[in-house]
């Protein structure tokens, strides 16, 4: 016999738990279902563990550079990967257990552990349990794509999840995929002590960014000794004794890279293939992303999709924002929309890239009149003091409205600095507002008004 709830939430990623607790707090009878680990990707094998590992890698990097700051470390810097992993595990455990306890301790909320599959539009099976509700919220997230490269069945490889179990320094890590996830792992393992090669099919790293950003990131990574192979069109894998060989068929350089381990970082796929979406008549696109409108409603009345599985964002903050939009519409009579949000994200190499709004390429394509401001980090006092002057800051302004169209800030602290621009974009205020603000000295942010005072027409 089915148990009837007011609302069912499938998945405990970045939207589901907050929505479940919010709905339960109104007195609704709510069920939430998780098949693996509470907290989903971000908590268990995404943002939190990777940024914890990035912090260990940065500590090693700074220690190696200690002499430049006049600090003498008597012995060579080595990394104890077992301790690095234990530190990462402790941070993850605290978040993961926190989510579990929060959900299990919430009144009106029942937690089911198992795989959920739709049997019909408003009926879901979890093991032997059948659950029914008028409102169902899908927050099933995604997982690493498993591309079928020639020879992939001959060799073992890591993805972002299995990489979390590594407690040793690979002799030579080959990272296939030169985008956000691949670059973070590449730099971190180089700093842990591995030889690292990045193999990317496109002619430049992180293609979605402007060319000057891709080039600056390449310079930063190559300066640390990372080997970068671009335009690798026919990637094939082959076992060579204890090693792995990757054919890269690039336009220049050796045709094969031989390493000890492979990390596949070639994109993500939504967890909708085994969700029974057809039984519920919920429409997905060709890649499996659930189709939603501006308020995250699917084509089936009462069914919503939030987070990575709807293809409208691929970040923790976009998933959490989805929760805010759904809660605002359902509970607060506040008609928030997905289209209200401004593109914003960071790439956590060191130094980080903070992004907001349009790229320069997008502004050019839009054909509007624009102004450009750009400043290398070598001309940012705070960066000079810290001895970290790689990268640059770039901002684009609408020449007519004076509103900020976008920014790419690649440099120390730029994952934080970007918010000073983002908030003004949300306020729809002209950039001149920032110029009149008194900023704190010495900071990276204090140079944003200076950069805005040197704008030139975008040619
Ligand atoms: C290596 C890596 C680093 C990242 N770093 C960042 C970062 O720095 N900043 C950032 O903003 N984003 C980052 N991301 C992206 C971020 O982790 C995701 O965008 C975010 O976790 C998406 O959350 P979600 O709510 O869509 O679902 P998820 O967090 O993916 O959670 C979905 C949950 O649903 C469960 N589930 C799936 N199917 C079922 C089912 N049928 N039944 C029951 N349960 C099910 C899953 O087990 C999972 O727990 C990173 C991702 C990766 C892989």
């Amino acid at each position: 016999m089915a148990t009837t709830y007011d609302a069912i939430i499938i998945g405990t990623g970045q939207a589901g738990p907050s929505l479940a607790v919010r709905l339960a707090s109104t007195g609704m009878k709510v069920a939430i279902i998780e098949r693996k680990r509470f907290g989903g990707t971000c908590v268990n094998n995404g943002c939190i563990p990777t940024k914890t590992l990035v912090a260990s890698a940065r500590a090693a990097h700074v220690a190696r550079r200690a002499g430049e700051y006049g600090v003498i470390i008597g012995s060579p810097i080595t990394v104890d990967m077992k301790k690095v992993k234990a530190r990462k595990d402790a941070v993850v455990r605290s978040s993961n257990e926190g989510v579990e306890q929060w959900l299990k301790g919430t009144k009106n909320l029942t937690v089911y552990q198992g795989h959920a599959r739709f049997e019909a539009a408003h009926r879901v099976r979890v093991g032997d349990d059948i659950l029914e509700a008028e409102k169902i919220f899908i927050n099933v997230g995604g997982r690493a794509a498993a591309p079928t490269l020639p020879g992939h069945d001959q060799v073992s490889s890591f993805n972002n999840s299995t990489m979390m179990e590594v407690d040793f320094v690979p002799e030579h890590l080959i990272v296939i995929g030169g985008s956000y996830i691949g670059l973070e792992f590449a730099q971190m393992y180089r700093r842990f002590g591995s030889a690292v090669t990045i193999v990317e099919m496109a002619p430049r790293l992180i293609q979605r960014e402007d060319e000057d950003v891709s080039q600056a990131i390449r310079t930063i990574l190559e300066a640390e000794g990372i080997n970068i192979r671009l335009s690798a069109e026919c990637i094939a894998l082959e076992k060579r004794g204890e090693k792995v060989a990757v054919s890269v068929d690039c336009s220049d350089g050796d045709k094969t890279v031989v390493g000890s381990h492979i990390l596949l970082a070639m994109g993500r796929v939504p967890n909708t293939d085994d969700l029974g979406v057809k039984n519920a008549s919920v429409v997905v696109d060709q890649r499996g992303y659930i189709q939603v409108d501006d308020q995250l409603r699917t084509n089936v009345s009462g069914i919503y999709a939030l987070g990575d599985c709807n293809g409208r964002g691929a970040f923790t903050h976009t998933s959490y924002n989805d929760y805010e939009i759904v809660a605002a519409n359902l509970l607060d009579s506040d008609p928030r929309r997905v289209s209200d949000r401004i593109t914003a994200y960071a790439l956590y190499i060191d130094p980080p890239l903070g992004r907001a709004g349009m790229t320069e390429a997008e502004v050019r394509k839009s054909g509007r009149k624009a102004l450009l401001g750009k400043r290398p980090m070598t001309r940012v006092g705070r960066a000079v003091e810290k001895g970290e002057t790689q990268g640059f800051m770039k901002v684009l302004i609408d020449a007519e409205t004076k509103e900020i169209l976008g920014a790419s800030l690649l440099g120390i602290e730029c994952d934080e600095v970007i918010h000073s621009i983002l908030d003004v974009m949300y306020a729809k205020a002209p950039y001149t507002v920032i110029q009149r603000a008194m900023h704190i000295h010495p900071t990276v942010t204090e140079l944003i008004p200076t950069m805005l005072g040197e704008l030139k027409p975008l040619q």
Side-chain angles (χ1 to χ4, degrees), residues 9-17 32-51 112-118 124-126 138-144 159-161 164 180-182 184-185 188 267-268 270-276 306-310 313-320 322 344-348:
I9 288 146
I10 307 176
T12 66
Q14 298 307 304
I32 189 163
I33 310 160
E34 175 53 58
R35 70 176 177 188
K36 279 190 189 150
R37 299 181 68 193
F38 290 92
T41 309
C42 178
V43 166
N44 297 293
N45 43 47
C47 340
I48 291 179
T50 52
K51 269 79 252 182
Y112 288 85
Q113 288 180 255
H115 179 90
R117 190 174 279 110
F118 280 98
V124 170
R125 173 181 284 278
V126 192
I138 306 170
N139 179 218
V140 292
R143 61 182 185 278
N159 61 28
N160 70 284
S161 298
M164 293 300 143
Y180 306 87
I181 293 174
E184 288 180 15
F185 277 110
M188 144 201 337
R268 313 263 310 153
N271 290 325
T272 53
D273 48 334
D274 51 2
L275 187 60
L306 300 84
D308 285 11
C309 68
N310 65 25
F315 298 98
T316 283
H317 45 276
T318 47
S319 180
Y320 188 77
D322 283 359
Y345 53 86
L347 161 67
Y348 288 93

Side-chain angles (χ1 to χ4, degrees), residues 5-74:
Y5 289 91
D6 296 315
I8 297 170
I9 288 146
I10 307 176
T12 66
Q14 298 307 304
S18 299
L19 184 60
V21 171
R22 180 79 207 277
L23 293 173
S25 75
T26 67
M28 287 171 77
K29 186 181 166 194
V30 183
I32 189 163
I33 310 160
E34 175 53 58
R35 70 176 177 188
K36 279 190 189 150
R37 299 181 68 193
F38 290 92
T41 309
C42 178
V43 166
N44 297 293
N45 43 47
C47 340
I48 291 179
T50 52
K51 269 79 252 182
T52 309
L53 293 170
V54 164
S56 289
R58 180 170 159 79
H61 179 68
V62 172
R64 285 191 194 104
R65 291 186 59 205
E68 293 174 37
Y69 299 85
V71 176
I72 309 307
I73 298 178

